[in-house]
Amino acid sequence: MARKDKNAIEYVCPYCFSRIDLNDVHYVCTGPTCAKSFASAAFSMKNVDAKKYISRDGLSEIDPEKSRFYGKDPEGPDAVVAKQHIIRNSSGLCDICKRPVYTRVCPICHNNIPPGAEEDGNNIFVILGPKGVGKSHYIAVLINQLKNYVSSEFDGVLHAANDSTTLRYRDMYYRRLFEEKRKLLPTKSFDISNESREPLIYYLRLFDEERPKVYTFAFFDTAGEDLTSSGKISSLSMDAFITNAAGIVYLVDPLQVKYINNRINVENKPSVGPDVSDILNNICQTIRGNKKIRSKDKIDIPLAVCLTKCDVLMKNAENDEEDKVLFGKNASVFIPREHGKYDEENFLQIDAELSEYLRRTVGDNFIQMVNGFKEHCFFAVSALGCNPVGSSLPRGVSPMRVEDPFIWLLNREGLR
């Protein structure tokens, strides 16, 4: 969070990723009848200014801002109906019941702004990668690990920002993956799915310091096809959350890399995927264009590059060709990190080895592109820890090091 001047307090909305001034927000009134009273009064008085905020029959208040956020026509039949009356000024009073209002919402998308935003600020991290790389599985397992293990390891707690996040995570991710032991369904594109437009928002509160810190995680489960060009990223309005991120986790599936795919023997092997350099280049061009960063200057957003499904790279080699793409028994990824602290030595060892591994298997062009980020680090993770049998996971989920990139990113924000 940065201050533009002595009065302005900048805040990045974790839903629409707009940078807003907390002195210039909207409010909602908790009065149970204010929304309907507003609609009725505006309709009967033929108030031209207020007409755009009421339904055609005059019975409901319409929320144009939230309608646009979800890709709906604010003047159409599927416009979002406001459950509570919206106050679009900083008076702090409801214009209907005249009582004070305290619930703040983003003026761009009308999602809630958490109490204490001025003091806590927010650091938002995004997860990106090509189609089929395993983003959904990574997000699902990462949230579970952060909630049940990592938060307590660092003397903290992870909790959902709202009921919507709790219910969506349980119904779309946890139940199918952890209880039914089945692979998750492919992620739908932003342009056809409203669910993809709303992130899963979590707050991580760490207490083991003089002053507790709060980190905001906004998990957008993006479809890989949405990243195929910088133009498509912009057209789907995804450029805002990429550009304003405090850190980026970029996933690379080794089985989709041609050099590795042609040499490794594994069941259910996918076909060779899109060039990971091309997708990362689209992300870089989006950031450089929006932040006006010259090509010779480095991008100031920390980048964690994660080699996913690394459990398949830890098998015993069946021949000399396969040996070229597998991790050796002495690879640093086998060395566990020290718990309860930022294990810099362990991460640096893994980073050095993976940098050379990816230079050899993916190409020097990819490494040079990663080097275009001022801060970057390579990681090896496995969300599932095993190779699925069709769509089922007979042995369940056994994650490996999925939290590493987030511990590294949090260290950039002060975690020790």
Side-chain angles (χ1 to χ4, degrees):
M1 183 174 61
R3 292 180 180 270
K4 293 179 181 178
D5 55 51
K6 64 180 181 179
N7 295 315
I9 304 176
E10 191 175 84
Y11 175 80
V12 179
C13 174
Y15 292 90
C16 67
F17 279 73
S18 299
R19 290 187 178 273
I20 61 175
D21 182 350
L22 287 176
N23 295 312
D24 189 25
V25 299
H26 292 174
Y27 293 83
V28 294
C29 179
T30 55
T33 62
C34 287
K36 288 193 175 297
S37 297
F38 167 78
S40 177
F43 186 78
S44 61
M45 295 175 62
K46 307 297 182 182
N47 189 319
V48 177
D49 291 332
K51 192 173 182 180
K52 59 184 177 182
Y53 300 123
I54 59 175
S55 58
R56 294 177 181 177
D57 58 11
L59 298 177
S60 303
E61 181 176 349
I62 297 298
D63 189 337
E65 291 87 348
K66 186 163 282 190
S67 296
R68 284 189 286 269
F69 174 70
Y70 285 113
K72 300 178 182 295
D73 180 1
E75 298 181 2
D78 61 345
V80 176
V81 174
K83 296 180 181 179
Q84 297 172 314
H85 177 50
I86 301 164
I87 297 91
R88 294 176 172 82
N89 59 55
S90 57
S91 66
L93 292 174
C94 176
D95 56 309
I96 301 299
C97 67
K98 309 303 180 183
R99 294 175 181 172
V101 288
Y102 303 103
T103 302
R104 300 178 297 178
V105 294
C106 169
I108 308 302
C109 69
H110 278 179
N111 280 291
N112 281 14
I113 297 171
E118 289 88 347
E119 294 79 21
D120 295 334
N122 59 347
N123 303 99
I124 304 171
F125 309 102
V126 300
I127 300 171
L128 304 170
K131 182 178 181 180
V133 76
K135 288 186 295 296
S136 298
H137 290 122
Y138 181 75
I139 290 172
V141 175
L142 174 65
I143 291 173
N144 189 64
Q145 289 294 106
L146 290 174
K147 180 179 180 181
N148 295 311
Y149 303 102
V150 180
S151 58
S152 59
E153 177 188 342
F154 288 93
D155 192 20
V157 61
L158 183 84
H159 63 89
N162 50 45
D163 291 341
S164 174
T165 287
T166 299
L167 295 174
R168 287 179 60 227
Y169 177 71
R170 184 194 67 190
D171 295 341
M172 294 176 59
Y173 296 90
Y174 188 87
R175 183 175 292 162
R176 181 180 177 94
L177 188 61
F178 289 93
E179 295 180 356
E180 300 175 2
K181 297 181 180 180
R182 293 190 296 157
K183 288 173 58 180
L184 300 175
L185 299 173
T187 304
K188 295 179 181 178
S189 173
F190 259 38
D191 57 358
I192 62 173
S193 172
N194 287 331
E195 288 180 340
S196 296
R197 291 179 177 270
E198 183 176 349
L200 298 169
I201 305 290
Y202 287 87
Y203 301 124
L204 175 64
R205 298 181 181 274
L206 301 181
F207 304 107
D208 190 20
E209 298 183 17
E210 291 183 3
R211 181 180 179 278
K213 288 192 175 182
V214 180
Y215 301 94
T216 303
F217 294 154
F219 296 111
F220 276 91
D221 196 355
T222 57
E225 54 265 36
D226 289 342
L227 304 173
T228 52
S229 73
S230 55
K232 186 164 188 180
I233 291 173
S234 178
S235 68
L236 295 175
S237 299
M238 294 173 61
D239 51 342
F241 77 78
I242 293 175
T243 302
N244 290 315
I248 295 173
V249 178
Y250 184 69
L251 304 183
V252 176
D253 179 1
L255 297 181
Q256 291 187 8
V257 176
K258 184 177 181 180
Y259 183 90
I260 301 173
N261 186 284
N262 289 343
R263 289 165 175 78
I264 197 167
N265 297 314
V266 62
E267 294 182 2
N268 303 319
K269 184 168 64 174
S271 57
V272 175
D275 191 320
V276 293
S277 298
D278 291 341
I279 301 296
L280 184 57
N281 181 59
N282 295 336
I283 295 169
C284 291
Q285 294 308 313
T286 296
I287 297 171
R288 290 185 182 279
N290 282 22
K291 300 187 78 169
K292 295 180 173 56
I293 300 174
R294 297 176 299 179
S295 58
K296 68 177 184 178
D297 295 330
K298 295 198 174 187
I299 295 172
D300 59 356
I301 302 175
L303 174 70
V305 178
C306 295
L307 202 61
T308 64
K309 307 175 186 177
C310 71
D311 57 286
V312 302
L313 302 177
M314 302 168 77
K315 64 190 288 280
N316 293 322
E318 298 178 23
N319 52 56
D320 291 341
E321 283 299 301
E322 191 174 46
D323 188 53
K324 295 178 181 179
V325 297
L326 298 180
F327 294 155
K329 292 183 178 180
N330 296 322
S332 56
V333 70
F334 289 100
I335 303 173
R337 64 175 176 82
E338 187 174 348
H339 279 228
K341 61 171 288 187
Y342 175 68
D343 192 343
E344 183 175 20
E345 182 179 354
N346 183 246
F347 287 171
L348 288 176
Q349 288 178 331
I350 294 173
D351 173 66
E353 290 184 13
L354 287 178
S355 177
E356 289 307 310
Y357 178 86
L358 290 168
R359 187 188 303 276
R360 178 166 51 85
T361 57
V362 177
D364 187 66
N365 181 56
F366 179 69
I367 301 300
Q368 293 304 318
M369 200 168 296
V370 173
N371 288 339
F373 288 78
K374 189 178 297 183
E375 292 186 281
H376 55 82
C377 196
F378 294 97
F379 299 90
V381 305
S382 177
L384 302 180
C386 62
N387 197 15
V389 178
S391 62
S392 66
L393 301 163
R395 291 185 292 171
V397 177
S398 302
M400 175 184 168
R401 310 200 70 141
V402 294
E403 70 277 7
D404 283 7
F406 273 81
I407 292 175
W408 178 80
L409 285 170
L410 290 175
N411 176 255
R412 319 265 74 71
E413 299 295 336
L415 178 70
R416 297 288 178 245

